[in-house]
Amino acid sequence: MLAPTGNRRSAVLYLLAWLLLGVALGGAIAAAFDARWVNAMIFAIPATVLYGVGAGFSAYYLCRAYPLAERSLAGVVTALGASAVVSALLWSALLEGWNTLGSALNVAWAGIDYTPSLKAVLFGLGVLLYGLLAAINYLATESERASSALQRELQSRLAAREAELRMLRTQIDPHFLFNSLNSISALTSQNPKGAREMTLQLASFFRLSLGVAEHAVIPLAQEMQLIRHFLAVEKVRFGDRLQLEEAIEPEAESCAVPPMLIQPLVENAVKHGIAGLPEGGKIRVAARRAGSQLRIVVDNAMDADGPAPRREGNGIGLANVRQRLAGSYGSEAAVHWGARDGVFVVEMTLPAQTGEESRK
């Protein structure tokens, strides 16, 4: 809100505005009431600046005491009108006293002919100036209130978005753990050594994933380390039937991605693609930076004669990735998928950013 003292710069500008107003008032008095310029300036400037300070504080606290959203219009108008009249009367008395003091000095440059018509004009001007100060304060108050409301709404939306992203991320680890424990259970009776190795690989994977759990984004290179650990777990079960091909361009490795973003896609590729092929197949992860965009492609072999993979997998995979991208980047990111000649392809585009500060 507008007040004579908010900070030093504002106070100086406020006083300068009233000083200029005092000069303008002195010039008007000299021109309209046939007063000497020096006398008119000495009469108008000091009292005008002092009125600006007093009326400024009065209007400021009046607006705080009578907010438009909480008081009736009649109450606000009554309080404002009474304060404006009292302030104008005090200003008139100040001007008259100042002029009397100047006239008493009996010098050529002090004192003017303070006629009743001039008193009436200055009284009316005092009322108008006070009303203008109050109007400016009310406008500033409403602007500040609207800005605060908008900020609270944005903070609420941000908190809701962050909560949704945390929920989506926490879905991933239990989902993967559930599938891995099922695999270990199946291997226990058939291949105890493989079950033990898979358990150790699973522990290594989760140990690494704990290091990135608290980060909003991680470098793509670190995400690929998670992918390799994940596939090391699955390779115990699939052996040579499961192959990984990486095509990550150096410029893309440092780009930031949400952690565990690609892992659900690779997991889907294993579960819905490689697992259904007796001879197994290859999973390919490619990434390249194209200007301001990072493009990531995950594809895998699939049974061309079998049923098409469901769009949501089992409720996590692709839908999770889409929601996380939308929550993190909005319309700047997109994900598309589909089957092409016996290969299931998932393509993602997102902003090519580096460093965790890019998400702050």
Side-chain angles (χ1 to χ4, degrees):
M1 287 184 285
L2 181 66
T5 55
N7 54 58
R8 182 174 299 179
R9 182 173 179 271
S10 298
V12 170
L13 292 176
Y14 183 83
L15 293 176
L16 180 60
W18 280 93
L19 177 63
L20 295 176
L21 183 60
V23 172
L25 178 59
I29 291 173
F33 293 91
D34 197 24
R36 294 182 61 190
W37 280 88
V38 174
N39 296 55
M41 294 299 174
I42 293 176
F43 168 77
I45 292 175
T48 300
V49 172
L50 188 59
Y51 180 70
V53 175
F57 276 113
S58 175
Y60 174 76
Y61 288 110
L62 175 69
C63 292
R64 290 173 62 91
Y66 290 85
L68 294 177
E70 301 176 13
R71 300 279 186 163
S72 66
L73 180 60
V76 171
V77 171
T78 300
L80 179 61
S83 297
V85 170
V86 171
S87 297
L89 287 173
L90 290 174
W91 188 37
S92 298
L94 175 64
L95 287 167
E96 187 168 2
W98 177 244
N99 187 63
T100 301
L101 178 61
S103 299
L105 295 177
N106 198 23
V107 292
W109 47 265
I112 64 171
D113 185 12
Y114 196 31
T115 64
S117 59
L118 178 56
K119 292 180 182 180
V121 169
L122 293 176
F123 174 80
L125 180 62
V127 173
L128 291 175
L129 289 175
Y130 190 93
L132 179 61
L133 284 173
I136 294 174
N137 271 283
Y138 275 126
L139 288 174
T141 301
E142 291 304 307
S143 177
E144 181 181 346
R145 188 174 66 84
S147 178
S148 298
L150 178 60
Q151 185 176 5
R152 288 194 299 270
E153 181 182 359
L154 291 176
Q155 289 175 345
S156 177
R157 289 182 180 179
L158 180 61
R161 191 196 73 173
E162 292 297 330
E164 181 182 4
L165 291 178
R166 285 194 298 270
M167 179 195 70
L168 291 171
R169 285 172 57 182
T170 56
Q171 288 177 341
I172 296 173
D173 285 350
H175 173 65
F176 169 52
L177 180 60
F178 176 78
N179 287 342
S180 298
L181 291 177
N182 279 343
S183 299
I184 292 173
S185 176
L187 287 173
T188 300
S189 59
Q190 303 173 6
N191 184 2
K193 182 179 179 181
R196 182 176 182 276
E197 182 180 352
M198 192 172 188
T199 302
L200 294 175
Q201 292 287 0
L202 184 63
S204 298
F205 172 81
F206 278 107
R207 187 162 44 247
L208 180 63
S209 66
L210 287 176
V212 302
E214 299 302 321
H215 296 277
V217 292
I218 60 174
L220 179 61
Q222 193 170 358
E223 175 76 2
M224 289 306 301
Q225 291 180 4
L226 287 170
I227 299 302
R228 298 183 195 108
H229 277 74
F230 165 77
L231 289 179
V233 174
E234 295 290 1
K235 200 169 179 64
V236 174
R237 181 157 58 108
F238 289 97
D240 293 337
R241 291 174 56 210
L242 176 60
Q243 302 294 328
L244 172 66
E245 178 184 337
E246 298 183 31
I248 311 297
E249 295 185 355
E251 296 81 4
E253 289 186 338
S254 60
C255 290
V257 298
M260 306 292 284
L261 179 71
I262 304 177
Q263 185 270 341
L265 302 180
V266 176
E267 183 175 357
N268 273 0
V270 174
K271 183 176 180 180
H272 300 290
I274 306 303
L277 299 173
E279 71 282 4
K282 181 186 297 183
I283 298 174
R284 179 175 177 271
V285 180
R288 66 183 181 88
R289 180 171 183 170
S292 61
Q293 286 191 325
L294 174 65
R295 184 171 181 267
I296 301 174
V297 178
V298 179
D299 60 56
N300 61 273
M302 58 175 289
D303 186 358
D305 298 326
R310 291 191 302 167
R311 292 170 62 86
E312 291 82 10
N314 64 352
I316 302 292
L318 295 171
N320 183 291
V321 170
R322 170 168 282 175
Q323 291 177 53
R324 292 182 69 198
L325 286 176
S328 298
Y329 304 104
S331 60
E332 295 183 86
V335 57
H336 304 281
W337 56 79
R340 304 173 186 171
D341 301 326
V343 177
F344 190 77
V345 181
V346 181
E347 298 181 358
M348 292 185 291
T349 56
L350 58 151
Q353 302 171 338
T354 58
E356 188 160 355
E357 68 277 2
S358 62
R359 294 290 310 282
K360 296 181 180 179

